[in-house]
Amino acid sequence: MMLGTRWQPVADVQAEVNRLRDEMDRLFGRWTGRRFPLAPTTYPMMNVWEDDENLFVEAELPGMELGDLEIYAQADHLAVKGERKEPAYDKITWHRRERGYGKFARVLELPVPVDENQVQAAFKGGVLTVTLPKRPEAKPRRIEVRAE
């Protein structure tokens, strides 16, 4: 016997996805002993890429203030430290809590040596972008070939 299903609007589908996530949280909570085993992390997601001259690191830091961040660069590491402060709410009931709060520290091992004295950082729209110029020995060199 084949059971028929009816089409459900997007809102109903989203409710089912939320219910499934809640059930998965409960299932994994039985094994780990924690109520919210899939709790949000406080450290930011980061992207790292490069061109011929620079490495770039981009971190998502919504709701943070510039004064809450510390950035340290060495030849082969970049450290980003900070604290995402939890907003003060009075008399609330949480229904879902996916953003993490608290102190974080990320240390990235850089793929090439950088000139730590020339590092620049910009913070705009909740996104931190760090530009790390490569040291000369890390930049690609064009090798000229002579014909004989």
Side-chain angles (χ1 to χ4, degrees):
M1 173 185 244
M2 184 180 232
L3 294 176
T5 59
R6 67 178 178 83
W7 178 81
Q8 297 176 330
V10 174
D12 288 345
V13 172
Q14 185 62 47
E16 287 300 310
V17 169
N18 289 341
R19 189 183 66 74
L20 176 61
R21 180 182 174 151
D22 292 341
E23 290 296 320
M24 295 296 289
D25 284 350
R26 279 186 345 143
L27 173 67
F28 287 111
R30 289 180 190 152
W31 291 336
T32 63
R34 295 180 355 190
R35 181 171 166 170
F36 297 106
L38 303 176
T41 56
T42 54
Y43 58 84
M45 292 185 284
M46 296 180 141
N47 293 331
V48 180
W49 71 96
E50 69 179 291
D51 62 16
D52 289 345
E53 300 293 320
N54 302 294
L55 282 176
F56 300 93
V57 176
E58 184 179 72
E60 294 181 0
L61 301 162
M64 290 195 64
E65 301 293 328
L66 189 57
D68 296 329
L69 291 173
E70 295 178 36
I71 304 166
Y72 302 95
Q74 293 180 329
D76 58 351
H77 286 85
L78 175 72
V80 178
K81 298 178 181 183
E83 181 176 6
R84 179 176 288 141
K85 295 179 181 165
E86 186 171 4
Y89 298 113
D90 289 333
K91 299 180 183 178
I92 66 162
T93 301
W94 287 102
H95 292 282
R96 180 166 302 276
R97 190 168 182 179
E98 296 180 353
R99 286 184 72 184
Y101 297 97
K103 293 182 180 184
F104 64 86
R106 297 274 323 253
V107 178
L108 301 176
E109 184 174 347
L110 302 173
V112 298
V114 297
D115 181 355
E116 62 268 13
N117 296 318
Q118 300 297 319
V119 173
Q120 295 181 357
F123 189 60
K124 182 178 179 185
V127 177
L128 173 69
T129 304
V130 182
T131 303
L132 303 120
K134 294 179 183 178
R135 287 192 177 173
E137 64 268 20
K139 295 178 184 178
R141 272 189 324 132
R142 180 180 168 92
I143 308 298
E144 198 162 320
V145 179
R146 294 182 291 159
E148 293 184 21

